[in-house]
Amino acid sequence: MKDLKPAQPPLFAEKILSLCIPNTIKDEILGDLEEEFNAHLIRFSNKKQARYNYWQQALMTLFQFIAIRSKDSLLSSNRQQIIVLILGFTIFIISLLLISWLSHLDGLGSFSQSMATALAQGNPHKALVQSQFWQISFTQIKYANNLAYFFQLEAFTWAVCSIFMISLLRKKQFTNKKYIRYLSLIIVFLPYTVGSIFLQFNHYPTPQVGLILAQMIFSVFYLTLPVTYFTFRNLSSRNNYE
Amino acid sequence: MANKESYLGEFEHIILLTIMRLKDQAYGVTVRQQIKELIDRDVSIGALYATIDRLEKKSYIKARSGAPTPERGGRAKRYFTLTSTGVEALQQTKTSLDKLWSGLTLNSAVQ
């Protein structure tokens, strides 16, 4: 004979859901899900499938309410624009400081042991937690009057091609604007991420490491401001294609 | 004349008709089951309640709580019924669709 006592649905899914859905409809949604979970168990006696259905509905409901919240209140278009501006300028300044810092030092011997290892492994962002970086880079940027320090051919070519491609996509009336925003973000950080992964698994002499690091950081440096501008404009003219 | 506010979206239309069909037995689970049975459309609970919330704000439906039941973990059901504004919106949409369909046959659509 079947056990008619109601079973407990997946506790973790229930907890996550109860944290994320509005209080006004929490009981109704959790109640409906539990009722369906028990009905499925009674009808098919398949607990695995019942748990799978519960998780599926819970996750779909979760994403639904996260999407509604971010659309309605949490991140209004104006707030997103402000966040994009702040992030864009911060990343630009940090890449500028990294370039001026790295340009004025001779070889990996000029760095502390931990920093030299981080650079050799393709992690220049670790400089941000080094006091040496913050002490020196602001001083050096004042003397960075040689524009040649700010030119790197490969990264410049990548940046020009990327900006051209994004501009073309923006002109296409029916291109999804959210897609352009994600693509732009990927383009900015792609050389940095690929370079970082590449150096993690390969060991090269210092000059070659320097060249790869330059390509990584300069790509971010060249692309951050144009992409910030594109994203800012993109958010101000959101349309129904999203 | 119907304005944008009183115009029903496709999913709103489906939910209102389902609630109407279920009479006093319309709550989350039955509404989803009925939609699945009638038009073979899987509706997530999240999408259903998001739309129901919108319909309540427009005063097209009203909700009342039922008694808590053990198979729902001691939680109460929330039953929905149409309001007169909801019926009016349905009528308006039906009239508009009837006008759009009048004189048309699907055979004549392909040239």
Side-chain angles (χ1 to χ4, degrees):
Chain A
M1 188 180 158
K2 279 181 185 172
D3 183 10
L4 294 175
K5 192 182 163 196
Q8 172 66 47
L11 202 61
F12 187 52
E14 196 181 83
K15 287 281 174 210
I16 298 175
L17 204 54
S18 64
L19 285 174
C20 299
I21 52 179
N23 284 333
T24 47
I25 48 171
K26 189 186 288 181
D27 272 1
E28 289 80 0
I29 290 181
L30 292 175
D32 282 0
L33 279 172
E34 193 160 340
E35 187 181 329
E36 285 186 353
F37 175 79
N38 281 306
H40 195 283
L41 276 183
I42 291 166
R43 199 169 162 200
F44 301 107
S45 299
N46 185 344
K47 195 168 184 180
K48 202 174 169 185
Q49 185 63 38
R51 288 174 69 83
Y52 172 80
N53 288 349
Y54 191 98
W55 266 105
Q56 189 190 35
Q57 282 299 323
L59 290 176
M60 281 166 72
T61 305
L62 197 68
F63 289 130
Q64 188 90 34
F65 281 101
I66 289 172
I68 289 169
R69 278 189 187 185
S70 61
K71 219 170 191 176
D72 285 357
S73 59
L74 275 182
L75 284 175
S76 67
S77 185
N78 286 345
R79 280 191 196 173
Q80 285 187 10
Q81 280 182 311
I82 292 167
I83 291 170
V84 163
L85 280 185
I86 293 171
L87 276 177
F89 280 105
T90 308
I91 293 168
F92 177 76
I93 299 287
I94 287 172
S95 58
L96 177 66
L97 291 176
L98 267 174
I99 289 166
S100 59
W101 184 52
L102 292 169
S103 307
H104 283 80
L105 292 172
D106 299 319
L108 291 179
S110 317
F111 302 97
S112 65
Q113 184 57 41
S114 60
M115 193 60 227
T117 313
L119 288 175
Q121 289 179 346
N123 298 317
H125 50 269
K126 287 192 176 169
L128 302 183
V129 292
Q130 298 271 329
S131 56
Q132 189 191 8
F133 168 74
W134 295 104
Q135 283 163 7
I136 302 170
S137 54
F138 275 106
T139 325
Q140 281 170 347
I141 204 166
K142 281 200 292 189
Y143 302 105
N145 49 9
N146 187 353
L147 284 179
Y149 280 128
F150 295 99
F151 184 74
Q152 210 281 333
L153 182 64
E154 289 87 349
F156 186 76
T157 313
W158 167 259
V160 170
C161 293
S162 302
I163 292 167
F164 180 69
M165 190 181 79
I166 296 170
S167 306
L168 274 183
L169 281 174
R170 287 180 77 229
K171 279 180 190 160
K172 286 189 185 267
Q173 201 187 348
F174 294 101
T175 312
N176 188 317
K177 297 205 165 190
K178 204 182 272 179
Y179 164 75
I180 299 179
R181 288 203 291 274
Y182 291 140
L183 184 73
S184 307
L185 196 69
I186 290 168
I187 283 172
V188 173
F189 291 104
L190 187 66
Y192 193 96
T193 314
V194 170
S196 189
I197 294 168
F198 187 73
L199 287 175
Q200 291 275 334
F201 295 103
N202 297 286
H203 297 286
Y204 286 102
T206 308
Q208 272 175 286
V209 171
L211 182 66
I212 297 170
L213 287 176
Q215 287 165 1
M216 288 161 61
I217 302 168
F218 271 98
S219 303
V220 176
F221 177 67
Y222 292 142
L223 279 166
T224 303
L225 287 185
V227 164
T228 302
Y229 170 76
F230 286 147
T231 311
F232 184 86
R233 290 289 305 272
N234 184 311
L235 285 169
S236 66
S237 59
R238 283 172 130 177
N239 62 17
N240 294 329
Y241 300 116
E242 291 194 348
Chain B
M1 189 181 158
N3 57 27
K4 201 181 173 189
E5 280 298 300
S6 64
Y7 178 77
L8 289 174
E10 187 221 9
F11 194 45
E12 291 177 334
H13 196 177
I14 290 171
I15 289 180
L16 285 181
L17 288 173
T18 311
I19 291 173
M20 193 177 174
R21 186 177 285 269
L22 286 164
K23 294 176 182 154
D24 59 348
Q25 284 305 309
Y27 69 102
V29 175
T30 51
V31 172
R32 287 180 65 221
Q33 278 172 353
Q34 187 78 259
I35 293 173
K36 175 72 182 160
E37 277 169 26
L38 289 173
I39 57 170
D40 196 25
R41 181 162 163 175
D42 277 313
V43 176
S44 80
I45 289 185
L48 177 73
Y49 275 96
T51 310
I52 277 178
D53 184 48
R54 201 162 59 239
L55 291 169
E56 269 189 283
K57 281 180 185 155
K58 289 180 181 176
S59 304
Y60 289 168
I61 55 172
K62 60 182 179 189
R64 65 179 166 87
S65 284
T69 54
E71 72 272 14
R72 295 174 61 84
R75 300 179 186 93
K77 288 175 187 170
R78 191 162 174 234
Y79 291 102
F80 307 104
T81 42
L82 290 187
T83 62
S84 53
T85 324
V87 175
E88 211 173 285
L90 273 175
Q91 182 59 58
Q92 225 163 39
T93 307
K94 187 176 183 302
T95 311
S96 307
L97 288 175
D98 285 346
K99 278 182 191 167
L100 285 167
W101 273 104
S102 68
L104 291 178
T105 54
L106 288 176
N107 291 340
S108 64
V110 185
Q111 292 180 352

